[in-house]
Amino acid sequence: MIKNLVINFAISSNYITHHLKHLVINLINFKLLNNINNYSNIKFLTVNVDSFLISIWLAFIFLYIFKYFLSTLKYNQIPNKVQLLFELIIVFVLENVKNIIGKKDKYIFSLAFTVFTWILIMNLMSLIPIDIIPILLNFFINIYSFRVVATSDINVTSSLAFSSLLYVFIYKIFRNGFYNLIYNFLFHPFNNKYCIILNIILEFINICSKFLSLSLRLFGNMYSGEIIFILLSFIIPWWLQWLIIFPWFMLHIFISFLQSFIFMILVIIYSV
């Protein structure tokens, strides 16, 4: 009995570890590091190919659908389902921008709309059964590791956070002017020349906290969701797993929407 428990634990550990690995490419020799057993051997100059391909692929698909929405907007007197969906999303994001900033701002709206929709469709990739794509890739092109949820990769969430904050920084320069931005950086929160060093330290901590709040919150929720789903597949017998399919499906849609919404709201708040 103990032997069987040890074997089952080893099998489940290997299964979980396998599904938490990325398909990695080494930028030095451009070789795929497939089926890696020890991540400590990976050099610094690497890219998670699966996260990169999934995020870019979803972005192009969304742009194509959005282009279709814009092209049919002028010709359809009766809106179709795609138009209704996009109109709901646009109105939803626009109202949040207006309520937080106090006015309609096309620049912040474009940023908020982009991060909300892009993060949402990347989060919804977690609804795809976790074994399907790795099995197909292993069968056709002998690739063992491939993760489809790009937002469960800290590199993706960090890149989204960094690019969003950079956009907000450039937006504030054009809105307030470079001089006013530097003045606020040096004399906020203490408007005293003797507190400039302290203000710089506090502002640096503020910027770092914004970056961490954007990147780590999204990453932690999506990564933990993957782990919980994998663990449930071992805790619950296969003949009872159908009972949790629908509740888990609805919960994951809610979490995907909620995390996209929180990221969007924080970006809007940071732009004020």
Side-chain angles (χ1 to χ4, degrees):
M1 180 178 179
I2 297 177
K3 182 179 179 181
N4 292 333
L5 289 175
V6 172
I7 294 174
N8 290 333
F9 177 78
I11 294 174
S12 61
S13 299
N14 292 333
Y15 179 81
I16 294 172
T17 305
H18 168 262
H19 282 292
L20 295 180
K21 291 178 180 177
H22 289 278
L23 178 63
V24 181
I25 186 172
N26 192 333
L27 295 180
I28 298 176
N29 52 20
F30 295 98
K31 290 184 179 180
L32 287 176
L33 306 178
N34 191 20
N35 198 22
I36 303 167
N37 294 319
N38 188 2
Y39 268 84
S40 62
N41 295 329
I42 301 179
K43 297 182 179 180
F44 179 74
L45 292 175
T46 58
V47 172
N48 294 338
V49 181
D50 44 11
S51 298
F52 177 78
L53 292 178
I54 289 294
S55 58
I56 297 299
W57 175 68
L58 290 176
F60 276 111
I61 289 180
F62 177 78
L63 288 175
Y64 177 80
I65 297 175
F66 190 64
K67 180 182 177 182
Y68 169 78
F69 160 71
L70 293 177
S71 63
T72 57
L73 185 61
K74 297 180 180 180
Y75 303 104
N76 293 342
Q77 296 181 352
I78 301 177
N80 54 35
K81 295 179 180 179
V82 177
Q83 286 181 261
L84 290 175
L85 177 61
F86 272 95
E87 287 177 4
L88 286 174
I89 296 175
I90 290 173
V91 171
F92 172 75
V93 176
L94 189 60
E95 287 298 319
N96 281 280
V97 173
K98 184 179 178 181
N99 292 333
I100 295 175
I101 297 182
K103 61 179 182 178
K104 295 181 179 180
D105 192 304
K106 61 181 180 180
Y107 300 105
I108 298 302
F109 166 76
S110 62
L111 174 62
F113 180 78
T114 300
V115 296
F116 175 75
T117 52
W118 197 12
I119 292 174
L120 180 60
I121 57 179
M122 285 193 289
N123 290 347
L124 292 178
M125 289 295 291
S126 58
L127 298 177
I128 298 177
I130 196 170
D131 288 314
I132 287 182
I133 294 182
I135 288 175
L136 293 175
L137 292 176
N138 186 22
F139 179 78
F140 288 106
I141 54 179
N142 198 30
I143 289 179
Y144 304 97
S145 302
F146 196 92
R147 294 175 62 181
V148 297
V149 186
T151 46
S152 64
D153 184 359
I154 186 63
N155 300 289
V156 173
T157 58
S158 299
S159 300
L160 285 169
F162 177 80
S163 57
S164 299
L165 292 176
L166 180 62
Y167 184 98
V168 169
F169 178 76
I170 297 173
Y171 166 79
K172 287 184 176 180
I173 291 178
F174 283 97
R175 185 186 65 181
N176 302 325
F178 185 76
Y179 172 79
N180 292 329
L181 187 69
I182 296 299
Y183 181 86
N184 292 331
F185 186 80
L186 297 177
F187 294 95
H188 180 81
F190 304 108
N191 191 9
N192 192 307
K193 63 180 181 179
Y194 299 107
C195 298
I196 289 179
I197 301 299
L198 179 60
N199 289 335
I200 292 175
I201 295 174
L202 293 176
E203 191 64 27
F204 178 77
I205 295 174
N206 182 36
I207 294 173
C208 291
S209 64
K210 290 178 180 178
F211 173 78
L212 293 175
S213 66
L214 286 174
S215 58
L216 294 184
R217 178 184 286 106
L218 178 59
F219 163 72
N221 281 276
M222 300 311 299
Y223 186 79
S224 60
E226 280 198 277
I227 294 178
I228 292 173
F229 181 76
I230 297 173
L231 290 175
L232 286 176
S233 64
F234 286 100
I235 296 174
I236 302 176
W238 64 269
W239 45 273
L240 284 177
Q241 290 182 9
W242 63 273
L243 293 174
I244 66 168
I245 290 177
F246 183 75
W248 180 260
F249 179 83
M250 298 303 298
L251 177 63
H252 217 79
I253 291 179
F254 173 74
I255 293 174
S256 300
F257 177 84
L258 180 63
Q259 292 306 312
S260 308
F261 175 74
I262 292 174
F263 195 101
M264 178 193 71
I265 292 297
L266 289 175
V267 168
I268 299 173
I269 292 174
Y270 294 156
S271 66
V272 176

